[in-house]
Amino acid sequence: MLIEIKGVQFVNKGAELMLRAILDRLSVELPNAEICLVHNPNSPYVERAKIGAFQKVNLRKNIFDFTRLVYFLPSKVRHYFKSRFGIVTEVDVDVVLDASGFGYGDQWSDIVMHQVALEVTRMQGFGKKYIFLPQSFGPFTREKNKKYASKAFQHASLVFARETPSFEHVKSLLSSNDNIYQAPDFTNLLYPSLGEAYIKYANYLVVIPNSKMLSSKNKDTNWKNNYVRIMTTLIEKALIENESVVILNHSGKDDELLCQAIQSKLSELCDIIEPETALEVKAVISKAKAVISSRFHGCVSALSQEVPCIATGWSHKYLELFKEYNSEHLLLSSKSSDLELHESLNKVLNPDTDWRSDLSANAGYYKRETETMWDKVVIAIKS
């Protein structure tokens, strides 16, 4: 069996964390399965080769999709390219596990949803399975986007929405909801250990910036003027209270300049670290005293490991995540005053006992929900 893992990469540590979570589960449930990945700039050949992934050829560009042509290739030709060069095509793939995170909705071009709709329906027609793993969806308000999204979700084997608004966005497009479920982010079952290189940052306040807070995808334009101020205000307050602080780059070059910009405005130099793997990132977070994160998976890694977390967010997925952990009071506003920021910081550095207990209970609950999700996925694949 050949399984394509879609929507993952190695630079954005959230996307890599989803890849690691999938590989971890497949090694237990389907140890003989092979995997493949499509090449992209953030998923270079060397990294794909390290995990034993075949290289899937992508024959589509914008509105043009020539994938159907590969179904006419003789099996001997396909087997030759697979065994000699590690190259596979859609016809070789039995199952797609789509872990795009947040790639389908009005924030993105209609072309994206159009391509996916073609792929899902084509694969179903050839008896293959396409599964949308837990991720954020929508909204879908443009007519073309609604049309293609409806087609994709209707023909998928399973669709898992990560939170209630996403579930409702998908549900509203379909007449039957037999294949749609709600499930949490599935990286919460990874338990990495902290290596020697980063053990010194145990019990630090870990700060994780996100350049998307300043991008056009963030509809709250106040963040463009206030984001760096808010982050530096929080760090300065922590330093005044003699807390140790480290800035963690969660997404390579995307966030590098922002990390440096925040560092340059501090009265005291704080280290910037960029762990090589997503597992190292999660391990650093697991040992933090508290976390300030603008990266979604930085928030997930904190809350699911019972580490108090303050967040800034640029989409609905942040609010819904913090609701799940009874922590929405720790999601900052773009207009937060210095007093409000200081109060929020105090809440995570000196957490209330009852809230800390709730955080632990919710972490356990959502891990059980992820186990249930995987049960459904494995049954669907094996059937």
Side-chain angles (χ1 to χ4, degrees), residues 284-304:
V284 170
I285 292 171
S286 74
K287 299 300 182 182
K289 181 174 184 177
V291 170
I292 302 170
S293 179
S294 302
R295 282 282 171 188
F296 179 79
H297 277 99
C299 299
V300 174
S301 292
L303 297 174
S304 67

Side-chain angles (χ1 to χ4, degrees), residues 71 76 82 89 130 225 285 299 334:
Y71 286 88
K76 286 185 178 181
K82 182 181 179 183
T89 66
Y130 195 109
N225 296 322
I285 292 171
C299 299
S334 61

Side-chain angles (χ1 to χ4, degrees), residues 145-319:
N145 222 22
K146 288 169 63 176
K147 172 187 172 183
Y148 299 137
S150 176
K151 189 175 183 181
F153 299 142
Q154 177 185 345
H155 293 284
S157 300
L158 289 170
V159 181
F160 291 97
R162 200 157 51 187
E163 69 288 304
T164 300
S166 292
F167 180 80
E168 294 299 328
H169 289 321
V170 176
K171 185 179 175 182
S172 68
L173 298 173
L174 305 176
S175 57
S176 172
N177 302 312
D178 294 343
N179 65 333
I180 305 172
Y181 299 91
Q182 188 171 334
D185 182 89
F186 57 91
T187 63
N188 57 1
L189 295 181
L190 287 173
Y191 303 97
S193 58
L194 187 61
E196 288 292 327
Y198 297 104
I199 195 70
K200 64 177 286 188
Y201 299 109
N203 210 40
Y204 271 52
L205 174 66
V206 177
V207 179
I208 307 174
N210 183 353
S211 57
K212 285 187 179 177
M213 293 298 302
L214 307 176
S215 77
S216 59
K217 288 184 171 59
N218 189 346
K219 302 306 179 185
D220 185 349
T221 56
N222 289 311
W223 279 114
K224 291 182 179 179
N225 296 322
N226 295 337
Y227 181 67
V228 172
R229 174 191 69 80
I230 285 174
M231 297 298 275
T232 54
T233 298
L234 288 166
I235 296 173
E236 288 289 357
K237 178 62 176 175
L239 294 173
I240 289 172
E241 297 184 6
N242 296 316
E243 298 290 344
S244 299
V245 181
V246 63
I247 300 171
L248 191 154
N249 183 348
H250 204 278
S251 195
K253 291 182 179 179
D254 288 346
D255 292 346
E256 182 178 1
L257 292 178
L258 181 57
C259 289
Q260 293 171 355
I262 292 171
Q263 182 193 54
S264 69
K265 293 184 179 297
L266 299 176
S267 60
E268 181 179 324
L269 186 65
C270 295
D271 288 350
I272 297 175
I273 59 173
E274 187 176 342
E276 188 173 335
T277 71
L279 294 178
E280 289 176 318
V281 168
K282 186 168 185 181
V284 170
I285 292 171
S286 74
K287 299 300 182 182
K289 181 174 184 177
V291 170
I292 302 170
S293 179
S294 302
R295 282 282 171 188
F296 179 79
H297 277 99
C299 299
V300 174
S301 292
L303 297 174
S304 67
Q305 296 183 107
E306 303 173 34
V307 177
C309 181
I310 296 172
T312 70
W314 61 276
S315 78
H316 69 273
K317 62 183 181 179
Y318 291 84
L319 175 58

Side-chain angles (χ1 to χ4, degrees), residues 106 110 113-114 116-118 121 140-155 173-174:
D106 284 349
D110 294 348
M113 205 71 248
H114 188 188
V116 175
L118 289 174
T121 53
F140 302 97
T141 60
R142 300 190 301 270
E143 284 306 312
K144 284 187 177 181
N145 222 22
K146 288 169 63 176
K147 172 187 172 183
Y148 299 137
S150 176
K151 189 175 183 181
F153 299 142
Q154 177 185 345
H155 293 284
L173 298 173
L174 305 176

Side-chain angles (χ1 to χ4, degrees), residues 11 24 43 45 53 131 139 147 181 212 262:
V11 175
D24 185 67
S43 182
Y45 171 78
I131 297 172
K147 172 187 172 183
Y181 299 91
K212 285 187 179 177
I262 292 171

